[in-house]
């Protein structure tokens, strides 16, 4: 079966072409049919840029300089606008972080959803009213008939994000890309919106790529997880095995900084310092300055090691102790 | 698709559609404050006018004529109340204004206010055509300024700078020379026909077009990075659709606000243009009256123009609120 999304060695940069700022370097990521992938990593690691550049939605001045992105087998890198328009909204539905700013403040929400349908099915916006109401009901918006006439500012944050999801699902896309869909919401509402996303994916066999800081969210909805650091994916694998037995020290650090997950576990590798910004990524392993188990070898770009059903990018992969041991060995050698 | 998968409801799901008393009170206070501000503006304008007229010469001298004897002059002065203390004259003047009594034209003997009001419609027509032209040309120019290629941006940008740099009367003279003298396509001056409207409109609109274009470009740049434009693109909208259906409508309220202010400026430009093209509007009436020292008409014209600017600002404010549902709906 065709994968819903195949990102292959994607390179993205911004700024002056003669002195570019590299934002994403060689990201490869596959979202299989009917599977949900969580993309995690600290702020500035390039998660949003990866998603948006893939869909050609990154801002002015952001360019893809290498690699390929296929959505349902359709190549998007270098595609003409017609192809991109067909894929966006039709094959891939997108949900953004801030539901208020991502809705047009001057249009009724019903009209905005109807526009999404119209762009792929033709007709007039008004003729899609029934579908709009159906979509609103589906994402749990109460009194959808009336709500369709509301403006974004008249809805709560949770309802707005439901509207945004309804809009993304308008044409029954094979893939849902959601960039931190719950981050801007109240904690109480996050769980509800997560429910909506879960039903839109699990229950309808839809694939999804979900960007988030929330490892708990990943544990709940994702099948696989990709961990991003300094413009690269450093570890990828099934959620269960990555969370149980993280291979990359950065993944271990992320997990350790999460109180709920870390409870009862050794707080090995809780992270110090801040992630480096694009343009100041260390050579070799970019995580080395913060890595508790770094060695001299880490000044070279680490190799990719496959494990179980995933892989990681580290000289000393494995659990905390093994790494400590291997370091001791290296020191002895 | 499967149906109704999730039906839980957010607590406090919506703002109540009917706004509370607080909002209505705020609105009344806002309107009240605006009215007071505008009345004060009008009062200031009239006060300035009163003293300027008294400083600029002796109305009695004009009325009585150059051959009048000192006795005659004195009689006219007494008749006009000009022999009273300045403050008393000022109070009497304000009293007249409140009663809308500006006296009669020194020359025609007709009501000064009637003369001013009679000249107003022609000016309104000129302002309306000017606004239409500046919006119709200014918005596309603004889009080109923001979205055009390097060359387009340079060409449009330079034209706009030029349009703003050339004084209105110079432009007017150039237009007359070109269209009336050289080409003979249009009458050089006059009013009352569509053809006489063309050159005054062009002369007046050129500056407004440039300002509108710059405003549109600036607003588009503001709106540029807004998430909802990315959302529209993510739905499958074309670049053009994103621009015309989402970016421009959101840029428009701010542009409209600027345009309303622009009308106030246009009035002063209209004075120049009307005189230049002998277009019978209130601007020309005012200038003619000033040269003739027909003070009642001068005062009436300034008063009418002042009230017009005030009304434009009030209507403009209401229009803006109507354009943006975030404000409009809050009043319900
Ligand atoms: N157009 C651009 N020009 C220059 N730098 C950019 C541009 N867009 C993004 N960046 C930079 O690229 C880096 C990665 O940004 P990105 O938004 O992808 O991070 P992220 O992983 O999504 O972080 P967050 O969790 O904060 O959303 C950031 O440091 C950002 O400043
Ligand atoms: S390569 Fe070295 S520095 Fe990088 S994460 Fe692995 S052990 Fe740490
Ligand atoms: Mg992001």
């Amino acid at each position: 079966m065709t994968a819903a999304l195949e990102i292959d060695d994607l390179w993205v940069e911004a700024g002056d072409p003669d002195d570019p700022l590299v934002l994403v370097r060689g990201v490869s990521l596959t979202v299989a049919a009917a599977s949900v992938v969580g993309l995690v990593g600290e702020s500035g690691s390039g998660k949003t840029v990866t998603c948006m550049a893939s869909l050609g939605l990154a801002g002015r001045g952001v360019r893809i300089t290498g690699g390929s992105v296929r959505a349902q087998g359709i190549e998007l890198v270098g595609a003409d606008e017609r192809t991109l328009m067909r894929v966006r909204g039709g094959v891939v539905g997108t949900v953004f972080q801030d539901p208020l700013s991502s809705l047009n403040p001057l249009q009724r929400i019903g009209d905005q959803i109807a526009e999404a349908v119209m762009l792929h099915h033709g007709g007039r916006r008004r003729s899609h009213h029934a579908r709009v109401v159906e979509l609103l009901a589906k994402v749990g918006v109460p009194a959808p008939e009336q709500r369709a006439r509301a403006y974004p500012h008249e809805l709560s944050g949770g309802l707005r994000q439901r509207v945004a999801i309804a809009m993304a699902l308008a044409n029954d896309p094979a893939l849902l890309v959601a960039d931190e869909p719950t981050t801007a919401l109240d904690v109480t509402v996050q769980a509800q919106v997560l429910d909506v996303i879960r039903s839109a994916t699990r229950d309808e066999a839809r694939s999804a790529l979900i960007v988030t800081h929330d490892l708990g969210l990943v544990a709940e909805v994702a099948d696989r997880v990709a961990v991003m650091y300094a413009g690269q994916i450093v570890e990828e694998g099934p959620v269960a095995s990555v969370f149980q037995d993280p291979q990359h020290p950065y993944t271990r650090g992320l997990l350790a900084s999460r109180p709920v997950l870390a409870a009862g576990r050794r707080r090995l590798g809780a992270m110090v310092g801040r992630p480096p910004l694009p343009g100041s990524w260390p050579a070799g392993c970019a995580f080395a300055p913060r890595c508790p188990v770094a060695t001299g070898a880490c000044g070279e770009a680490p190799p990719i090691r496959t494990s179980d059903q995933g892989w990681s990018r580290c000289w000393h992969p494995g659990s905390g102790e093994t790494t400590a041991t291997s370091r001791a060995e290296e020191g002895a050698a | 698709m499967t149906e109704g998968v999730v039906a839980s409801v957010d607590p406090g799901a919506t703002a109540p559609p009917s706004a509370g008393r607080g909002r209505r009170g705020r609105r009344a206070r806002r309107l009240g404050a605006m009215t007071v501000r505008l009345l004060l503006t009008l009062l200031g304008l009239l006060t300035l006018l009163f003293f300027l007229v008294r400083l600029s010469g002796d109305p009695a001298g004009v009325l009585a004529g150059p051959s009048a004897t000192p006795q005659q002059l004195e009689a006219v002065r007494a008749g006009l109340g000009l022999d009273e203390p300045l403050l008393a004259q000022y109070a009497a003047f304000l009293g007249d204004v409140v009663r809308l009594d500006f006296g009669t034209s020194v020359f025609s003997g007709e009501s000064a206010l009637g003369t001013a009001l009679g000249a107003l419609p022609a000016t309104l027509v000129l302002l309306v055509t000017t606004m239409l032209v500046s919006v119709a040309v200014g918005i596309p120019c603004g889009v080109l300024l923001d979205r055009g290629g390097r060359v387009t941006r340079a060409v449009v940008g330079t034209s706009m700078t030029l349009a703003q740099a050339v004084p209105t009367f110079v432009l007017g003279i150039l237009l007359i020379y070109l269209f009336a003298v050289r080409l003979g396509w249009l009458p050089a001056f006059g009013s009352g026909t569509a053809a006489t409207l063309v050159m005054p409109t062009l002369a007046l609109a050129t500056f407004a077009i440039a300002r509108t274009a710059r405003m549109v470009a600036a607003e588009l740049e503001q709106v540029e990075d807004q998430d909802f434009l990315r959302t529209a693109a993510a739905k499958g909208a074309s670049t053009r659709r994103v621009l015309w259906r989402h970016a421009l409508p959101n840029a428009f309220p701010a542009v409209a606000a600027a345009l309303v202010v622009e009308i106030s400026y246009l009035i002063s430009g209209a004075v120049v243009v009307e005189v230049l093209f002998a277009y019978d509007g209130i601007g020309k009436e005012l200038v003619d009256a000033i040269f003739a020292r027909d003070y009642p008409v001068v005062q009436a014209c300034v008063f009418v123009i002042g009230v017009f600017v005030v009304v434009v600002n009030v209507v403009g404010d209401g229009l803006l609120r109507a354009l943006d549902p975030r404000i409009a709906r809050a009043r319900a």
Side-chain angles (χ1 to χ4, degrees):
Chain A
M1 227 177 153
T2 332
L5 184 70
E6 282 177 281
I7 301 177
D8 189 20
D9 196 22
L10 182 72
W11 288 74
V12 181
E13 60 182 44
D16 183 359
D18 296 327
D19 181 23
L21 186 65
V22 178
L23 302 179
V24 170
R25 33 181 191 167
V27 162
S28 296
L29 183 66
T30 299
V31 182
S35 97
V36 176
V37 175
L39 182 58
V40 301
E42 284 166 297
S43 209
S45 52
K47 307 180 296 293
T48 299
V49 170
T50 300
C51 296
M52 292 308 135
S54 296
L55 298 170
L57 292 174
R60 265 190 208 176
V62 177
R63 334 171 267 286
I64 293 181
T65 47
S68 119
V69 176
R70 285 180 302 278
Q72 293 288 99
I74 306 168
E75 178 62 57
L76 302 184
V77 175
D80 56 7
E81 199 189 4
R82 194 159 283 279
T83 307
L84 286 174
M85 281 163 59
R86 184 161 52 92
V87 170
R88 295 178 191 148
V91 177
V92 184
T94 314
V95 176
F96 301 98
Q97 175 171 341
D98 180 357
L100 180 57
S101 64
S102 62
L103 294 173
N104 186 333
L106 301 186
Q107 285 184 2
R108 295 175 198 277
I109 58 154
D111 289 341
Q112 300 189 47
I113 300 174
E115 184 184 27
V117 183
M118 183 203 77
L119 287 168
H120 296 272
H121 290 86
R124 310 190 54 120
R125 279 199 308 204
R126 211 169 304 144
S127 60
H128 299 296
H129 180 68
R131 173 70 177 147
V132 168
V133 174
E134 179 196 346
L135 282 162
L136 285 174
K138 177 184 153 81
V139 296
V141 172
E145 237 357 294
Q146 289 92 296
R147 284 300 196 289
R149 298 185 50 76
Y151 288 96
H153 73 276
E154 296 173 314
L155 304 180
S156 67
L159 277 186
R160 281 180 210 133
Q161 195 60 302
R162 286 170 197 257
V163 168
I165 295 170
M167 201 153 70
L169 298 177
N171 300 295
D172 208 358
L175 174 72
L176 187 66
V177 173
D179 188 2
E180 308 203 31
T182 61
T183 311
L185 305 177
D186 290 344
V187 180
T188 46
V189 182
Q190 288 187 352
Q192 299 168 1
V193 169
L194 193 57
D195 276 347
V196 177
I197 292 176
R198 203 199 332 254
S199 13
T201 51
R202 288 264 164 85
D203 303 356
E204 299 183 21
R206 178 176 286 116
S207 313
L209 176 60
I210 300 178
V211 173
T212 180
H213 285 234
D214 185 348
L215 296 177
L217 186 155
V218 171
E220 275 188 66
V221 300
D223 304 305
R224 298 181 73 86
V225 59
V227 181
M228 212 167 163
Y229 190 82
Q232 286 179 322
I233 289 179
V234 294
E235 175 158 12
E236 200 272 347
V239 170
S241 65
V242 170
F243 279 28
Q244 289 294 314
D245 188 17
Q247 295 299 301
H248 198 281
Y250 180 60
T251 314
R252 278 202 299 281
L254 280 183
L255 287 166
S257 0
R258 225 194 103 76
V260 181
L261 284 178
R265 235 183 261 176
R266 304 144 301 196
R267 292 187 62 89
L268 223 186
M271 276 181 298
V272 290
R274 318 183 96 250
L277 292 173
S280 57
W281 290 329
C285 176
F287 186 58
R290 305 170 72 194
C291 181
V293 295
T295 63
C298 304
E300 301 285 318
I304 288 177
R305 302 268 174 87
T306 52
S307 68
D308 215 354
Q309 305 147 56
W311 56 269
S312 66
R313 194 188 286 273
C314 176
W315 285 109
H316 310 298
S319 69
E321 295 102 290
T322 351
T323 316
T325 320
S326 66
R327 183 153 69 152
E329 279 163 7
E330 188 178 295
Chain B
M1 281 224 158
T2 54
E3 65 209 46
V5 279
V6 178
S8 54
V9 183
D10 299 342
T14 44
S18 65
R21 213 167 294 138
R23 267 191 197 138
R24 200 164 302 169
R26 237 175 293 142
R27 185 190 168 211
R29 235 171 304 146
R30 187 178 53 76
L31 275 178
M34 185 152 89
T35 312
V36 168
R37 208 180 61 224
L38 292 174
L39 284 178
L40 283 178
T41 309
L42 210 53
L43 179 68
L45 183 68
L46 288 168
T47 305
L48 199 66
L49 176 68
F50 173 84
F51 288 104
L52 278 180
V53 165
R54 292 309 178 276
L55 284 177
S56 69
D58 184 1
V62 184
L63 263 188
S67 59
T69 64
Q71 286 82 2
Q72 286 173 314
L73 206 58
E74 218 36 59
V76 172
R77 249 190 214 125
L80 289 174
L82 291 173
D83 53 348
E84 293 187 31
L86 205 57
L87 226 52
Q89 288 186 38
Y90 177 59
F93 167 69
L94 288 185
D96 287 345
V97 169
V98 170
R99 276 179 278 113
L100 291 180
D101 177 6
F102 289 87
T104 54
S105 162
V106 172
F107 295 99
S108 68
E110 283 166 28
S111 147
L113 187 62
T115 308
L117 285 176
L120 186 61
T123 300
L124 292 186
V125 169
L126 178 59
L127 289 182
V128 168
T129 53
T130 302
M131 287 312 283
L132 288 179
V133 169
S134 36
V135 167
V137 181
I139 289 183
C141 284
V143 170
L144 288 178
L145 263 185
D146 184 62
R147 299 291 162 102
R150 202 170 290 216
V151 178
T152 315
R153 284 209 309 271
V155 169
V156 177
T158 311
S159 320
M160 294 300 124
T161 307
L162 213 64
Q164 280 179 301
V166 178
T168 306
F169 73 91
V170 173
L171 183 68
I173 291 170
L174 287 177
L175 286 173
I176 292 180
Y177 178 72
L178 184 66
F179 290 113
V181 180
R182 293 305 299 256
L183 298 170
W185 289 353
L186 294 166
F189 48 80
S191 56
T193 66
T196 58
L197 204 53
V198 176
M199 283 198 291
T201 301
L202 280 182
L204 204 50
T206 303
F207 189 78
I209 287 172
R211 284 181 57 107
T212 309
R214 293 214 184 282
M215 198 73 58
V216 168
E219 277 308 310
L220 276 181
E221 190 167 349
Q222 280 272 309
V223 175
E224 183 102 21
D225 297 324
Q226 299 270 327
D227 286 350
F228 62 82
L229 298 185
R230 202 175 44 173
T231 307
K235 288 195 283 191
S238 63
T239 312
R240 182 188 287 196
R241 189 180 174 89
V242 172
L243 172 66
W244 290 95
R245 290 303 185 89
H246 296 275
L248 271 176
N250 275 279
F252 193 66
V255 173
L259 285 178
V260 168
V261 176
E262 189 72 32
I263 293 180
S264 313
Y265 287 116
L266 277 183
I267 277 273
S268 62
V271 174
V272 175
V273 164
E274 288 179 5
V275 170
L276 193 62
F277 293 97
Y279 182 91
D280 287 329
I282 196 168
K284 179 163 170 292
E285 194 67 56
L286 173 65
V287 172
D288 287 349
I290 289 172
F291 281 123
R293 304 211 164 194
D294 191 347
Y295 295 108
V297 174
V298 171
Q299 286 174 341
C301 284
V302 171
F303 175 76
V304 169
I305 291 173
V307 170
F308 173 74
V309 170
V310 165
V311 168
V312 160
N313 277 287
V314 174
V315 170
D317 187 70
L319 191 76
L320 285 187
R321 284 161 187 280
L323 278 178
D324 191 330
R326 280 166 296 188
I327 307 171
R329 281 228 167 171
R331 304 186 298 188

